[in-house]
Amino acid sequence: MTEHARQDRTSPATEARVRDSFGRQGLMHHLGARITEIAPGRVRIVLPARPEVTQQHGYVHAGATSAIADSAGGYAALTLFAEDSEVLTVEYKINLLAPAAGDHLEAVGTVLKSGRTLTVCRLEVFGVQEDGSRKLVANGQQTLIRVDAPKTAA
């Protein structure tokens, strides 16, 4: 395997850590979101469009759109952190570019700069139709902080 190919894959331990953490997120479970891609510095989350996540006009609510974007960026950052680290969002800004319509939304978090303490991610959310066509409905930027994972009781 080439060095470049290794960089395109997340270790099984990191993938398991990300999936385990995501599984503990009550909001993501409540929304019906799921992770569909984990790569070093990149995570994709899919949210099916359904009445429970819409606003009064039938589009996916900005709160749900923002929540999956925030989580995608956070988990993208976590893929680059040591096993004894966790991540918390310090701030994020979202631009809602178009009504969030489609069969489902895809949020993609991509690390732009990973530092010892702070990490910056690009956030993109696409409305995806049943035929696979995609439209960018939101984009943003996020700053995250690396924190020590809580110590487990012995």
Side-chain angles (χ1 to χ4, degrees):
M1 181 183 299
T2 67
E3 180 64 28
H4 180 69
R6 274 187 288 233
Q7 292 174 358
D8 292 341
R9 288 216 168 122
T10 304
S11 75
T14 297
E15 183 166 339
R17 182 167 57 110
V18 167
R19 289 193 184 282
D20 179 62
S21 177
F22 186 83
R24 293 191 310 269
Q25 281 206 2
L27 181 60
M28 292 297 107
H29 177 76
H30 179 72
L31 292 174
R34 67 187 189 284
I35 290 181
T36 60
E37 177 189 351
I38 301 172
R42 181 179 167 99
V43 165
R44 180 183 316 266
I45 295 175
V46 170
L47 175 67
R50 45 189 237 289
E52 294 84 358
V53 298
T54 60
Q55 43 84 296
Q56 70 275 16
H57 301 292
Y59 303 118
V60 175
H61 194 283
T65 302
S66 298
I68 62 170
D70 177 42
S71 286
Y75 285 114
L78 189 63
T79 66
L80 302 179
F81 291 170
E83 188 174 315
D84 62 347
S85 298
E86 289 288 340
V87 62
L88 292 172
T89 300
V90 173
E91 63 84 27
Y92 71 99
K93 178 188 185 326
I94 293 285
N95 290 15
L96 303 169
L97 305 173
D103 177 61
H104 64 274
L105 297 186
E106 286 183 6
V108 181
T110 306
V111 172
L112 297 174
K113 168 93 171 70
S114 183
R116 258 190 341 230
T117 304
L118 296 178
T119 296
V120 176
C121 293
R122 176 178 57 236
L123 309 174
E124 298 172 296
V125 182
F126 299 89
V128 182
Q129 303 298 330
E130 287 186 41
D131 67 5
S133 61
R134 299 160 50 91
K135 179 178 184 178
L136 184 65
V137 298
N139 78 323
Q141 185 167 298
Q142 170 188 51
T143 304
L144 304 128
I145 189 167
R146 189 203 65 77
V147 296
D148 293 334
K151 304 293 183 216
T152 56

